[in-house]
Amino acid sequence: MNEYLPIAVDIVAITILVFGIYFPRHRRTDMALAYMTVNIGVLAVADTLAASAVAAGLGLGLFGVLSIIRLRSEELTQREVAYYFAALAIGLIAGLADKQIGLIALILIVIAIVDSRHLYPVRRRSMVLDRAIADEGELRDYVASFCSGRIVDVSIEEIDFVKDSTTVRVQIKEGSAHQSVGVVA
């Protein structure tokens, strides 16, 4: 029964990370699936490597290559990369380390605190507007009409005069965790 403890710890930890911390805050089902899958895959390979004569360095090198390929296949935010790394680390620790419960708990506690809306009330949003707006003052006013909370910064990512649209990155200081942005893409 003790041989299954690391697997149980990993499953509980990744479930807390994905469905207790990440998904309620960010609501991306595609990333939830990716985090769960990469974690279970890493756990399986790490557990197999720990029980075999293959050097751990070779296994860690393989994980590095796989994570670089995955992380380069889609543009991810720094927050998503952090969750991705946490999912990888939890799987590796559960598969290889003897003191996994404390280290896994540390990862969960740190990410829960650091990604808290209470600690950092400023949120970044990507918005696709239904107008092509090049003037920064006009852009800020237009974006403000869709946002609850104080706009900290608006930066233009793309202006398409043919389709009459503007893609912007907005930083909003939210008054509470329940306020949201209107026209979010």
Side-chain angles (χ1 to χ4, degrees), residues 10-176:
D10 179 73
I11 290 171
V12 168
I14 194 63
T15 301
I16 290 170
L17 179 71
V18 173
F19 297 108
I21 300 171
Y22 177 79
F23 191 74
R25 294 176 183 183
H26 306 288
R27 298 279 185 215
R28 286 199 53 192
T29 55
D30 61 328
M31 293 308 296
L33 174 64
Y35 299 144
M36 291 294 291
T37 305
V38 77
N39 171 269
I40 298 301
V42 167
L43 171 69
V45 173
D47 190 57
T48 302
L49 288 174
S52 72
V54 176
L58 174 64
L60 292 174
L62 291 172
F63 288 126
V65 169
L66 291 173
S67 67
I68 289 170
I69 291 170
R70 171 62 187 113
L71 292 174
R72 296 183 82 199
S73 65
E74 176 186 337
E75 186 176 322
L76 299 176
T77 67
Q78 293 302 314
R79 179 172 279 114
E80 290 165 340
V81 171
Y83 277 97
Y84 212 102
F85 182 76
L88 284 167
I90 290 169
L92 277 173
I93 292 167
L96 297 174
D98 291 334
K99 300 175 184 175
Q100 78 268 12
I101 294 175
L103 294 172
I104 290 171
L106 179 64
I107 291 169
L108 293 174
I109 290 167
V110 167
I111 204 161
I113 291 170
V114 173
D115 191 32
S116 169
R117 292 184 189 268
H118 301 292
L119 187 60
Y120 297 109
V122 175
R123 289 289 178 218
R124 291 172 40 119
R125 306 281 191 244
S126 181
M127 299 174 71
V128 178
L129 307 176
D130 59 354
R131 292 176 44 199
I133 306 171
D135 179 78
E136 289 185 29
E138 181 184 353
L139 178 65
R140 183 179 277 275
D141 291 341
Y142 190 71
V143 168
S145 70
F146 294 106
C147 298
S148 58
R150 183 175 60 84
I151 295 177
V152 176
D153 185 48
V154 177
S155 59
I156 298 171
E157 291 182 350
E158 179 182 0
I159 300 176
D160 189 332
F161 290 103
V162 175
K163 294 180 182 176
D164 197 26
S165 67
T166 307
T167 303
V168 295
R169 204 66 165 137
V170 183
Q171 290 186 16
I172 304 162
K173 182 166 184 166
E174 299 173 335
S176 73

